Amino acid sequence: MTVYNFYIFDRNGTCLHYAEWNRRKQSGMDREEEYKLMYGMIHSIKSFVNRISPTDLKDGFLNFRTSQYKLHFYETPSGMKLIMNTDLSVGNIKDVLHQMYSNIFVEYVVRNPMCALDQPIKSELFESKMDDFVRGLSFFPLRVT
Amino acid sequence: MADEVVFEYLHMEMISYLYRTAEKIEQDHCISKLESLGFRVGQSLSERFTKDSSRFKDELDTMKFICKDFWNSVYKKQVDNLRTNHQGVYVLQDNKFRFLTQISSGKQYMDAAPKYLAFPCGMIRGALSNLGINCVVTAEVSAMPACKFQIQIQRL
């Protein structure tokens, strides 16, 4: 079990925060380009899922998986998007992403007057809190086999 | 909890408004403006918080009131350490000052610290002045979120 990387996007598609832990393969493009690609894909999937759904959706898009990884998506009513890539064995982590938003993002970014809300986050305190939180997750450690 | 946050956001906005509207030259004024705003608030607060308590014995008693009741009502915690040289200088140390805890836990954003301490300084000065103590209050930060307020009593 492990966490690969994590993105926060705001409503306008700006990447506010990016962190990675056990990512062994890079996308081979500029980080900025990668953010755009990621945001664009999420945006498309969201509208795709909503359009194609045969019944009214309650939660909308939550996650997808490939043979190698699983992408978890959480969106707040204000349009903040939290995206975490983990390996396949991780179940539903909606509440974990919600905690990251409410206990760390709101606490150390929204309540920090030095952080502009539409700019990438520079606060070291926020970054270290995020890192500690993710490292403390039950599914963070690489399973030793 | 939301009620505590209201004061915090208002304080943040007050500072950013003052600095945004001030011209380059009068930026130094902002600190004293904030301080005098705090002074007025502190005056009223001390009136309100002491309405049920009995008269204070001496200066130290008044300082203890500031450290305990006043701090508790405004910042939801007590001052961590109170020191004095018995010659009119008191140092109040708060290891987790409310306005600084979210900003940083070290040296980052250090240059912004004075703006966020002017109002609290004024508040202490206002409260004390209403309790009959004239003083000068300064704040000092070596690493956020810890902060020291120095109160120098002026004797005439």
Side-chain angles (χ1 to χ4, degrees), chain A residues 4-17:
Chain A
Y4 298 125
N5 57 1
F6 177 69
Y7 304 79
I8 299 179
F9 289 99
D10 77 355
R11 195 176 32 214
N12 306 315
T14 315
C15 184
L16 299 184
H17 176 70

Side-chain angles (χ1 to χ4, degrees), chain B residues 8-141:
Chain B
E8 236 176 71
Y9 287 152
L10 185 63
H11 181 242
M12 272 161 56
E13 266 333 289
M14 211 160 65
I15 292 161
S16 91
Y17 172 77
L18 268 179
Y19 275 83
R20 210 171 47 229
T21 52
E23 303 287 328
K24 269 275 167 287
I25 337 140
E26 6 170 310
Q27 294 250 317
D28 306 338
H29 271 325
C30 293
I31 296 275
S32 56
K33 258 190 212 162
L34 282 167
E35 211 262 359
S36 61
L37 284 170
F39 182 81
R40 180 64 184 79
V41 172
Q43 266 187 324
S44 325
L45 283 179
S46 75
E47 202 72 67
R48 206 186 142 78
F49 295 155
T50 53
K51 66 180 183 203
D52 295 323
S53 54
S54 53
R55 213 187 314 171
F56 298 123
K57 282 204 305 287
D58 51 15
E59 221 171 70
L60 190 64
D61 224 23
T62 316
M63 289 303 165
K64 280 185 186 156
F65 157 78
I66 296 284
C67 294
K68 289 198 180 119
D69 302 318
F70 187 83
W71 227 255
N72 236 328
S73 309
V74 181
Y75 304 112
K76 310 289 173 212
K77 73 185 285 285
Q78 292 187 9
V79 165
D80 295 303
N81 191 339
L82 168 68
R83 265 175 300 165
T84 175
N85 66 353
H86 299 289
Q87 288 176 19
V89 177
Y90 293 83
V91 178
L92 277 62
Q93 184 172 339
D94 192 333
N95 295 330
K96 268 194 186 142
F97 188 60
R98 243 243 336 260
F99 289 153
L100 302 179
T101 44
Q102 325 80 271
I103 298 185
S104 158
S105 62
K107 301 274 180 213
Q108 199 193 16
Y109 298 132
M110 213 41 169
D111 46 338
K115 313 197 249 193
Y116 294 94
L117 295 169
F119 188 85
C121 280
M123 221 149 57
I124 299 172
R125 192 167 70 87
L128 286 172
S129 106
N130 211 19
L131 300 170
I133 298 174
N134 283 320
C135 55
V136 174
V137 182
T138 48
E140 185 189 316
V141 185

Side-chain angles (χ1 to χ4, degrees), chain A residues 29-58:
Chain A
M29 59 172 90
D30 233 28
R31 267 287 144 68
E32 289 299 319
E33 289 299 312
E34 186 188 305
Y35 298 158
K36 275 187 211 159
L37 206 61
M38 178 56 102
Y39 185 81
M41 182 197 63
I42 293 294
H43 190 82
S44 314
I45 293 184
K46 244 182 64 189
S47 65
F48 173 80
V49 164
N50 285 330
R51 209 162 289 223
I52 229 72
S53 166
T55 53
D56 261 348
L57 278 176
K58 218 169 72 209

Side-chain angles (χ1 to χ4, degrees), chain A residues 106-116 121-126 128-129, chain B residues 5 8-9 12 98-105 107-109 111-112 115-116:
Chain A
V106 173
E107 204 65 11
Y108 296 101
V109 177
V110 181
R111 279 177 68 194
N112 182 350
M114 302 312 290
C115 289
I121 299 158
K122 296 202 188 70
S123 164
E124 288 161 13
L125 180 60
F126 168 79
S128 76
K129 290 276 173 189
Chain B
V5 149
E8 236 176 71
Y9 287 152
M12 272 161 56
R98 243 243 336 260
F99 289 153
L100 302 179
T101 44
Q102 325 80 271
I103 298 185
S104 158
S105 62
K107 301 274 180 213
Q108 199 193 16
Y109 298 132
D111 46 338
K115 313 197 249 193
Y116 294 94

Side-chain angles (χ1 to χ4, degrees), chain B residues 142-154:
Chain B
S142 51
M144 293 206 243
C147 164
K148 276 183 196 162
F149 291 95
Q150 187 175 336
I151 302 173
Q152 193 145 27
I153 291 171
Q154 311 212 290

